[in-house]
Amino acid sequence: MSELSKVRMVGPLASYAEGFRDELVRVGYTPRTARDHAYVLAHLSRWLDQEGLEPANLTPQMVDRFALARRRAGYRRGLTARSLRALLGYLREVGAVPPVTHPVPDSALEALLGGYRRYLFDERRLAPPTVRLDEDFARRFLTEGAWAPTSTPTG
């Protein structure tokens, strides 16, 4: 019996379980860790089914709702959107769930801040609350002239 066959798979994502596990093993996850991720996929699939949602409804807001449901149920893994990145990345890659869309910035400032936000998330791997604080500070810095000296030094 394979490790994955121990995972109860029902719901709209059940057909992706084997491919997901295989992909994780292919990129270097241990079979046990791949199985643990498959348990999270199984729960997501059941949760979508129970909520009456299709995979196409899996927006970032729905991912946050799912993570909250896992925390409330007492699970120890897959408790944040960040911890679900491998799972969601695979499901997006195979077209099971929609890609994340980013709104088109309406100004050069918004484009700059969007790039800064992605840098903080992707390169610095900061938590969302920290990213919001840093982005808010950068916005004030760039719009309110917080960088300009308020008085000239005297000698």
Side-chain angles (χ1 to χ4, degrees), residues 122-137:
D122 299 342
E123 301 297 324
R124 300 281 314 279
R125 300 199 183 279
L126 297 178
T130 305
V131 170
R132 276 192 297 278
L133 286 172
D134 287 0
E135 184 181 352
D136 289 345
F137 179 80

Side-chain angles (χ1 to χ4, degrees), residues 45-111:
S45 190
R46 287 190 315 272
W47 182 82
L48 286 171
D49 199 38
Q50 291 165 355
E51 294 289 316
L53 298 170
E54 294 296 321
N57 301 121
L58 201 56
T59 63
Q61 294 79 15
M62 289 296 114
V63 170
D64 289 340
R65 276 186 50 202
F66 171 68
L68 178 62
R70 285 186 64 78
R71 286 192 299 276
R72 286 183 175 161
Y75 286 96
R76 295 176 39 194
R77 291 184 180 88
L79 305 180
T80 64
R82 183 176 178 180
S83 67
L84 299 169
R85 275 194 289 192
L87 169 62
L88 295 170
Y90 174 78
L91 293 173
R92 287 184 183 115
E93 186 178 302
V94 298
V97 300
V100 175
T101 58
H102 300 285
V104 176
D106 58 356
S107 70
L109 174 64
E110 292 305 318

